[in-house]
Amino acid sequence: MRLHVLGTAAGGGLPQWNCACPGCSGARVHPGWRRRHASLAVEVGDGRCFVVNATPDIADQIELAAALRPGPEPRRTPLAGVVLTDAELDHTLGLARLREAEGLEVVATPAVREALTRGLRLDRILAPYTRLTWRELPPGDGLVLGGAIEVAAVRVSGKRPRYATALPSDADGWVTALRLTDRETGGVCVYAPAMGLWPGGLDGADCLIVDGTFWDEEEPLRTGISARTATEMGHLPIEATMERLATLPGRALYTHLNNTNPLVDPDAPHHKVLDEVGVEVAADGMVIEL
């Protein structure tokens, strides 16, 4: 299994356009600090890839990842489809950016599809441009992507996006982690950019790429970005998960870093804390092979 880390930032990216916090200001001075929205590309065989979440900067992500660039024939693309972990705007606005596609397969839980079709009416918006083909990903069940990779959804939160809070729905699976399994080698990766609770199914994973939005529980309150704590915003803080991750046998990396997270500064002492427990911070552009 070959995974391409396309981005590692939380909503707004780094820097965020309307923010001058230390993280965003530092990213404007030091281009190496910059991070694109959290996303992952998974090679599924036959030269094809699925992207996990379609972020607002997906076009830039594709251009910067050789495995996703089109060619050699005009309009021939290795992008086979998109798998969604939730219906948040930061993870779905890129679907509109992909409107030039002749057709696009979207894999999502019933709750996520309902939010996008009944809440945003995305299918109607894109109908004049391209054809969306939906594949259902029921929580707990597996689905084969291409011939080599199987994906299963693990529920990690019931948090709805703001635009869908009033949507009448009995659907489940608002936020899921994805368990990706290579059917040939047996390699397993768990990808959970948003994690409101500790999911099951982590013990047997060779690689875990998980929610690193906030360093500690009070960070949103302390920095003034929210009146809620990290957990109340649907994100377990790093201080609550790093030691649990360290006990697992697989390689563990954090992604989805908010601009307020001290880890966006490469020289922050918090990196040493993670080094001591053996947990990493994912970087834009890195390739992981299992």
Side-chain angles (χ1 to χ4, degrees):
M1 184 190 307
R2 183 178 290 113
L3 308 168
H4 301 261
V5 179
L6 304 178
T8 54
L14 185 72
Q16 185 172 300
W17 69 273
N18 64 340
C19 185
C21 72
C24 291
S25 298
R28 292 188 180 99
V29 175
H30 307 286
W33 290 27
R34 291 175 175 258
R35 292 175 182 265
R36 294 177 293 278
H37 289 83
S39 182
L40 188 74
V42 185
E43 295 188 25
V44 298
D46 299 327
R48 298 184 301 152
C49 295
F50 272 78
V51 169
V52 179
N53 294 331
T55 66
D57 49 8
I58 190 169
D60 293 332
Q61 293 178 346
I62 289 172
E63 283 300 307
L64 292 169
L68 289 171
R69 292 177 194 153
E73 300 174 12
R75 300 183 64 82
R76 182 185 178 96
T77 172
L79 180 61
V82 178
V83 185
L84 300 175
T85 62
D86 54 61
E88 293 289 349
L89 293 179
D90 296 317
H91 293 161
T92 58
L93 285 177
L95 292 173
R97 185 63 181 86
L98 298 174
R99 66 187 182 278
E100 297 91 353
E102 294 181 2
L104 189 65
E105 182 174 303
V106 183
V107 181
T109 65
V112 170
R113 178 178 179 177
E114 189 170 354
L116 294 175
T117 56
R118 293 185 61 193
L120 290 184
R121 299 184 181 274
L122 189 64
D123 52 342
R124 295 188 184 182
I125 293 173
L126 291 180
Y129 304 94
T130 189
R131 178 176 53 86
L132 297 183
T133 301
W134 295 89
R135 292 181 71 189
E136 184 175 320
L137 183 60
D141 292 344
L143 185 71
V144 176
L145 303 176
I149 304 299
E150 180 177 300
V151 59
V154 181
R155 184 181 181 276
V156 291
S157 174
K159 178 189 173 186
R160 300 186 183 197
R162 296 181 195 177
Y163 68 83
T165 54
L167 188 69
S169 173
D170 297 325
D172 193 12
W174 284 101
V175 185
T176 59
L178 301 181
R179 185 178 176 89
L180 301 159
T181 303
D182 190 314
R183 289 153 54 89
E184 296 178 357
T185 68
V188 175
C189 174
V190 173
Y191 185 67
M195 198 163 64
L197 55 84
W198 188 263
L202 299 186
D203 293 352
D206 302 289
C207 180
L208 303 105
I209 308 174
V210 302
D211 190 343
T213 307
F214 300 115
W215 178 266
D216 62 79
E217 181 73 356
E218 303 299 318
E219 183 181 320
L221 298 169
R222 187 174 61 255
T223 57
I225 67 166
S226 177
R228 296 174 293 167
T229 66
T231 303
E232 289 171 344
M233 292 182 68
H235 301 282
L236 292 178
I238 289 174
E239 283 190 341
T241 61
M242 60 181 176
E243 292 185 0
R244 294 186 72 173
L245 285 174
T247 64
L248 299 176
R251 181 183 181 185
L253 307 94
Y254 282 115
T255 189
H256 203 267
L257 274 64
N258 198 59
N259 54 353
T260 58
N261 192 322
L263 290 173
V264 301
D265 179 353
D267 295 323
H270 304 72
H271 289 278
K272 184 177 180 181
V273 176
L274 292 185
D275 288 341
E276 290 175 350
V277 297
V279 180
E280 306 172 52
V281 178
D284 290 21
M286 70 187 307
V287 178
I288 299 172
E289 297 198 40
L290 301 177

